[in-house]
């Protein structure tokens, strides 16, 4: 992601919410985003394939601008 979004992270004060099952990978990506200048990075270890988890995320971060990426 760093090559694609470096400009946006570096030129705008953005808040990120990173969601995945693997905490280790979340921490790696969060560190990279911070290195690139992200204003705030929140990590949420959860399974986004579960409806209840998604509802919880929506309630928690309601009102934040949203950009969704799906890792394949």
């Amino acid at each position: 992601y760093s090559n694609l979004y470096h400009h946006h992270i570096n030129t705008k004060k953005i808040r990120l919410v990173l969601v995945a099952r693997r905490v280790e990978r979340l921490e790696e990506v969060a560190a990279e985003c911070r290195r690139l200048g992200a204003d705030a990075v929140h990590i949420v270890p959860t399974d986004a394939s579960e409806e209840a988890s998604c509802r919880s995320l929506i309630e928690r971060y309601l009102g934040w601008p949203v950009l969704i990426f799906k890792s394949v």
Side-chain angles (χ1 to χ4, degrees):
Y1 296 105
S2 63
N3 291 336
L4 186 57
Y5 296 101
H6 178 264
H7 174 74
H8 293 289
I9 290 173
N10 204 22
T11 60
K12 300 175 184 175
K13 293 296 182 188
I14 62 171
R15 300 172 295 174
L16 299 173
V17 178
L18 305 175
V19 179
R21 290 175 283 199
R22 293 178 29 216
V23 175
E24 308 82 35
R25 184 66 181 131
L26 281 171
E27 290 171 348
E28 290 172 9
V29 174
E32 177 70 5
C33 291
R34 288 183 189 107
R35 186 186 71 74
L36 293 173
D39 194 38
V41 182
H42 303 264
I43 62 171
V44 183
T46 194
D47 187 348
S49 69
E50 296 176 1
E51 183 178 345
S53 296
C54 291
R55 288 184 185 277
S56 176
L57 286 168
I58 291 167
E59 290 171 7
R60 184 173 179 182
Y61 296 102
L62 188 66
W64 283 39
V66 175
L67 183 58
I68 299 173
F69 296 95
K70 170 85 171 92
S71 177
V72 289

